[in-house]
């Protein structure tokens, strides 16, 4: 029975010690979900405590439903990214849809109106039929839920690699806006105050989703777990959103919590834990959609679109009237009590009674052993002398533009409503999306990023690059990075080599954020992303929010007008390790990954941001996967107008490393000729290498290196390749 609940013998002995007795079945179920990896963070918490979480703008750091940063003018940004990986692999449409629903509730639980969604997705090899099925299902689930609720999906990222054949990743980010003095938190304060359930009725879906689905790896029984995947209803979510925002205008609302993972159990125990109080619940009053549900099933159900409110005693009728107006199920199901225990009643009998601290904080803080993986001994070196340099780069460029990791994602994001509420300034397709702040001159830039191949080869450096590149994307849109959220996707923490990857990634992420002076205000850890012992590449997904004080000073990645000069901020090195070019051309995933010089990264970002704010540049585009050549091509054809470029370069580097290497801390910019001297001055003062490469002209991309033609292509041909590659794998 204990093993079936995902608890170890040591954990069960700890339960006996904490209670001084054996738990009944319902109590055992409560411990199983609350002490699961997904809910307790027992393997990751010691390392997560090392991350930088404070800063002058931080109003709420990790520990609540979402993080909050001050954006000035009495407003704040609320944001978080979370995973719904295992459910999406088992049932892609509902898994992805309920992932969207869950992150939306995390945001409006804080009192904020959700204004934008991003999704960071990882799939397996596209030659596998199941990958196509999963891709279609996930995209359909995201689009149907977000579109129905009326929150725009404005961007994201999609990567493909065979390491995700057995475990896809579905990470969803949400941004909300709130008045800085109207923040709500999940606590059950005030003895005698009412505990009110609101939302969909409770059913048997999702039972043990947190403990036995999200906290264990996949095996031969994977398909049998399909009933644990929740079913979402976006129309109820929309009603719930509006009802919550209306009721939160009243000062008699004390606390609110989403019933997400572990459902009613987690919301009630966590709210009591934060407030230092007790709670008494009567499960006979919970709205149910199935007959004969036991206390165990009611408490562990993960039925979607449900919230738990604590309202001041005497205002129960006021709260219920608001929920009735929005046609939502609602009931007073309990009270805040003295003491520090949660008492569960059902049909007049005590079904469970447990001390809050034992359930919320009692899980063993595990010090998992870590060990550097042996595979790194054979793949971290790269001898370029054995790789023949192609005389020209035309074919390599076309091959890269057709690669699923680089090809255009229009087929995906056209299924999303990215203009609802009319606040989207920069649509999907640029380095970062930009959202207006209604009623203000400000805007927010948002981006999500992670190169898991880098993290596989060097998790410390790979995580640092994820932070730096995501910040760079935001800066290229004109935003100053002000906050980070993360979703850390790894294999089983019970394996020392996985814990080493996790440890190194957290250290790298923390060091990068400290140096770049950006706090991490929220996040999520997703372990056990492996099947039959085959783990995914470590994937610490980073999402960054940036602030534009003046929304008119936003910037896009594509060239704007003929005659502009094209320049590169930053310097190129002979680095092909971990690159998309190396994988596609030589079928090799080897290191070392590109070096990241954090002082240089900060200088380039500051130069780029100042150039945009002073109105000196027409476009700015980060050089990432595919290197300088892909950045040039995308700058030519990703905008509303096709524009060519003529580039002349001299270099001592290998020509393919120069054009397709993925050296970090580089930004490709275009600008009016009359601004050349001002930009050169800014670069010189900022310690940034600045090289004019050529100009925007014609409808062909021409690159000459040391006087020899290297790339000569019609921009229309390149765009067609880039546009159509991914779509052929869709429906």
């Amino acid at each position: 029975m204990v093993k079936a609940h995902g608890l170890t013998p040591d954990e069960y002995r700890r339960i006996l010690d904490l209670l001084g007795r054996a738990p009944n079945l319902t109590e055992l179920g409560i411990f199983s979900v609350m002490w699961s990896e997904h809910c307790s963070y027992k393997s990751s918490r010691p390392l997560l405590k090392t991350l930088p979480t404070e800063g002058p703008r931080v109003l709420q750091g990790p520990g609540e439903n979402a993080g909050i940063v001050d954006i000035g003018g009495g407003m704040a940004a609320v944001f978080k990214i979370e995973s719904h990986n295992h459910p999406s692999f088992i049932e892609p449409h509902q898994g992805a849809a309920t992932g969207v629903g869950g992150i939306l509730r995390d945001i409006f639980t804080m009192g904020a109106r959700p204004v934008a969604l991003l999704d960071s997705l990882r799939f397996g090899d596209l030659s596998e039929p199941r990958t196509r099925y999963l891709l279609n299902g996930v995209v359909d689930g995201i689009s149907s839920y977000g579109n129905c609720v009326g929150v725009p999906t404005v961007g994201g990222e999609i990567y493909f690699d065979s390491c995700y054949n057995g475990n896809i990743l579905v990470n969803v980010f949400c941004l909300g806006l709130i008045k800085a003095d109207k923040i709500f938190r999940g606590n059950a304060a005030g003895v005698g105050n009412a505990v009110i359930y609101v939302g969909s009725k409770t059913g048997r879906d999702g039972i043990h989703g947190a403990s036995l689905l999200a906290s264990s790896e996949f095996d031969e029984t994977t398909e049998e777990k399909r009933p644990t995947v929740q079913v979402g209803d976006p129309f109820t979510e929309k009603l719930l959103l509006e009802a919550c925002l209306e009721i939160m205008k009243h000062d008699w609302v004390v606390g609110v919590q989403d019933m997400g993972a572990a459902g009613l159990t987690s919301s009630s125990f966590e709210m009591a834990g934060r407030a230092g109080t007790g709670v008494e619940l009567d499960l006979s009053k919970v709205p149910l959609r199935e007959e004969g549900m036991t206390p165990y099933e009611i408490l562990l159900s993960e039925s979607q679109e449900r919230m738990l409110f604590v309202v001041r005693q005497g205002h129960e009728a006021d709260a219920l009237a608001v929920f009735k107006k929005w046609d939502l199920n609602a009931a007073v199901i309990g009270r805040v009590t003295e003491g520090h225990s949660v008492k569960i009643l059902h049909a007049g009998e005590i079904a469970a009674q447990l001390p809050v601290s034992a359930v919320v904080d009692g899980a063993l803080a595990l010090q998992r052993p870590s060990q550097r993986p042996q595979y790194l001994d054979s793949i971290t070196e790269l001898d370029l002398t054995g790789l023949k340099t192609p005389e020209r780069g035309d074919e390599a460029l076309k091959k890269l533009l057709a690669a699923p990791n680089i090809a255009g994602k229009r087929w995906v994001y056209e299924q999303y409503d990215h203009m609802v509420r009319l606040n989207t300034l920069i649509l999907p397709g640029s380095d970062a999306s930009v959202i207006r702040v209604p009623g203000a001159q400000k805007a927010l830039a948002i981006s999500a990023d992670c190169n898991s191949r880098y993290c596989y080869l060097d998790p410390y450096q790979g995580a640092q690059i994820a932070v730096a590149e995501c910040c760079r994307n935001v800066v290229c849109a004109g935003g100053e990075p002000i906050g980070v959220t993360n979703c850390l996707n790894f294999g089983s923490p019970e394996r020392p080599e996985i814990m080493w990857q996790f440890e190194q990634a957290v250290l790298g992420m923390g060091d990068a954020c400290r140096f770049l002076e950006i706090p991490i205000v929220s996040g999520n850890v997703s372990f056990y992303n492996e099947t039959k012992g085959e783990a995914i590449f470590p994937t610490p997904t980073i999402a960054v929010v940036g602030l534009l004080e003046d929304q008119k000073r936003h910037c896009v990645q594509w060239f704007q007008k003929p005659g502009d000069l094209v320049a590169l901020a930053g310097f190129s090195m002979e680095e092909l390790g971990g690159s998309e070019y190396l994988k596609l051309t030589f079928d090799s995933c080897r290191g070392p990954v590109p070096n990241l010089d954090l002082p240089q990264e900060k200088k380039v970002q500051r130069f780029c941001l100042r150039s945009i704010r002073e109105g000196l540049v027409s476009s700015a585009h980060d050089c990432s996967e595919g290197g300088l050549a892909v950045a040039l091509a995308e700058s030519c054809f990703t905008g509303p107008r096709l524009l060519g470029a003529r580039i002349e370069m001299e270099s001592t580097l290998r020509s393919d490393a120069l054009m397709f290497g993925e050296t970090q801390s580089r930004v490709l910019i275009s600008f009016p000729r009359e601004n050349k001297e001002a930009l050169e001055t800014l670069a010189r003062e900022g310690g940034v290498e600045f090289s004019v490469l050529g100009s925007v002209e014609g409808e062909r991309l021409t690159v000459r290196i040391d006087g020899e033609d290297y790339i000569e292509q019609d921009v229309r041909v390149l765009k067609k390749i880039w546009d159509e590659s991914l779509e052929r794998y869709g429906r």
Side-chain angles (χ1 to χ4, degrees), residues 436-567:
R436 294 182 182 90
V437 176
Q441 194 62 28
K442 302 174 188 288
L444 295 171
I446 52 177
S447 181
D449 201 273
C450 179
N451 186 317
S452 59
R453 193 178 297 144
Y454 292 168
C455 295
Y456 176 70
L457 295 170
D458 186 339
Y460 178 87
Q461 186 87 328
Q464 287 202 320
I465 290 174
V467 172
E469 184 174 340
C470 202
C471 289
R472 208 181 310 136
N473 288 336
V474 164
V475 165
C476 284
E480 176 188 357
I482 59 172
V484 173
T485 181
N486 59 60
C487 194
L488 309 180
N489 307 274
F490 289 79
S492 171
E494 298 170 35
R495 296 168 54 193
E497 61 270 28
I498 300 298
M499 277 308 296
W500 184 87
Q501 291 175 339
F502 182 80
E503 178 183 83
Q504 291 297 305
V506 171
L507 290 173
M509 178 173 53
D511 287 347
C513 287
R514 269 183 288 271
F515 191 88
L516 296 174
E517 302 174 82
I518 313 164
I520 298 171
V521 299
S522 60
N524 172 237
V525 176
S526 175
F527 278 131
Y528 294 100
N529 291 290
E530 62 178 71
T531 298
K532 300 178 182 178
E534 292 293 323
I536 63 165
F537 285 173
T539 312
T541 303
I542 300 295
V544 172
V545 174
L547 176 64
L548 290 78
E549 291 289 354
D550 183 355
Q551 61 180 250
K552 294 178 181 178
R553 291 299 190 189
H554 66 274
C555 193
V556 293
Q557 72 177 36
W558 47 83
F559 295 146
Q560 296 287 310
K561 50 185 180 294
D564 275 1
L565 295 180
V566 177

Side-chain angles (χ1 to χ4, degrees), residues 596-643:
L596 179 65
D597 183 330
L598 284 171
Q600 180 65 20
E601 177 70 37
K602 182 181 282 189
K603 290 176 183 177
V604 169
Q605 288 188 26
R606 286 178 173 174
F607 163 77
C608 183
L609 186 57
R610 185 174 173 186
S611 300
I612 294 170
R613 284 178 170 174
E614 295 186 11
L616 297 174
V617 302
S618 304
S619 69
H621 188 15
D622 165 44
C623 293
S624 55
E625 284 82 5
L628 179 58
V630 167
L632 282 164
E634 290 175 337
S635 297
C636 287
F637 59 62
T638 52
R641 180 182 179 188
L642 299 184
L643 291 170

Side-chain angles (χ1 to χ4, degrees), residues 323-381:
F323 296 136
K324 183 178 180 181
K325 168 189 168 182
W326 289 99
D327 198 25
L328 292 166
N329 299 293
V332 177
I333 65 168
R335 295 280 169 185
V336 178
T337 61
E338 292 181 345
H340 304 286
S341 69
V342 172
K343 183 178 181 180
I344 308 294
L345 303 174
H346 184 253
E349 297 184 357
I350 299 175
Q353 186 162 4
L354 295 171
V356 172
S357 59
V359 175
V360 174
D361 302 314
L364 294 167
L366 301 178
Q367 296 290 334
R368 301 274 195 189
S370 69
Q371 182 178 350
R372 183 178 182 272
Q374 289 186 352
Y375 72 78
L376 291 175
D377 295 335
S378 60
I379 63 171
T380 53
E381 300 296 327

Side-chain angles (χ1 to χ4, degrees), residues 125-367:
D125 191 332
L126 271 169
S127 64
E128 296 286 332
R130 181 168 174 81
T131 297
R132 303 185 193 188
Y133 157 74
L134 292 169
L135 172 63
N136 282 314
V138 166
V139 170
D140 189 53
I142 291 171
S143 65
S144 65
Y145 204 100
N147 293 356
C148 289
V149 175
V151 179
T153 301
V154 298
E157 56 165 7
I158 307 178
Y159 282 84
F160 299 87
D161 194 284
S162 58
C163 75
Y164 302 106
N165 282 348
N167 278 87
I168 66 173
L169 301 184
V170 175
N171 297 174
V172 185
F173 165 94
C174 187
L175 169 71
L177 293 171
I178 192 173
K179 289 185 178 180
D181 60 352
K182 294 293 184 181
I183 297 170
F184 283 85
R185 294 175 171 87
N187 63 76
V191 173
N193 285 340
V195 178
I196 298 181
Y197 171 115
V198 60
S200 295
K201 292 182 177 181
T202 295
R204 290 186 170 93
D205 49 325
I207 294 174
H208 277 299
S211 58
L212 299 183
L213 179 59
S215 300
S216 60
E217 67 272 17
F218 284 151
D219 53 27
E220 295 83 357
T221 66
T222 293
E223 285 300 317
E224 297 174 12
K225 298 176 181 178
R226 188 177 297 271
T228 65
V229 177
Q230 310 95 322
V231 178
D233 178 358
F235 299 104
T236 298
E237 179 95 343
K238 174 62 173 174
L239 297 175
L240 188 59
L241 187 163
E242 298 299 341
C244 288
L245 294 182
E246 178 177 331
I247 200 172
M248 287 172 173
K249 295 176 183 178
H250 300 286
D251 60 6
W252 38 261
V253 175
V254 176
V256 57
Q257 177 89 354
D258 164 41
M259 286 191 231
L264 183 55
T265 295
S266 64
S267 56
S268 56
F269 274 91
E270 288 175 1
M271 290 179 80
R274 292 190 189 110
T277 60
V279 168
E280 181 176 301
L281 301 179
D282 185 349
L283 301 185
S284 302
K285 298 179 179 179
V286 172
L288 303 177
R289 70 166 181 262
E290 299 182 48
E291 294 182 0
M293 290 187 69
T294 65
Y296 181 99
E297 293 171 325
I298 296 169
L299 286 168
L300 272 60
S301 168
E302 294 183 6
S303 293
Q304 295 293 285
E305 294 88 35
R306 301 180 303 158
M307 309 281 279
L308 203 63
F309 275 82
V310 173
V311 302
R312 198 172 300 148
Q313 189 173 9
H315 289 276
E316 296 88 343
D318 298 324
L320 294 176
V322 173
F323 296 136
K324 183 178 180 181
K325 168 189 168 182
W326 289 99
D327 198 25
L328 292 166
N329 299 293
V332 177
I333 65 168
R335 295 280 169 185
V336 178
T337 61
E338 292 181 345
H340 304 286
S341 69
V342 172
K343 183 178 181 180
I344 308 294
L345 303 174
H346 184 253
E349 297 184 357
I350 299 175
Q353 186 162 4
L354 295 171
V356 172
S357 59
V359 175
V360 174
D361 302 314
L364 294 167
L366 301 178
Q367 296 290 334

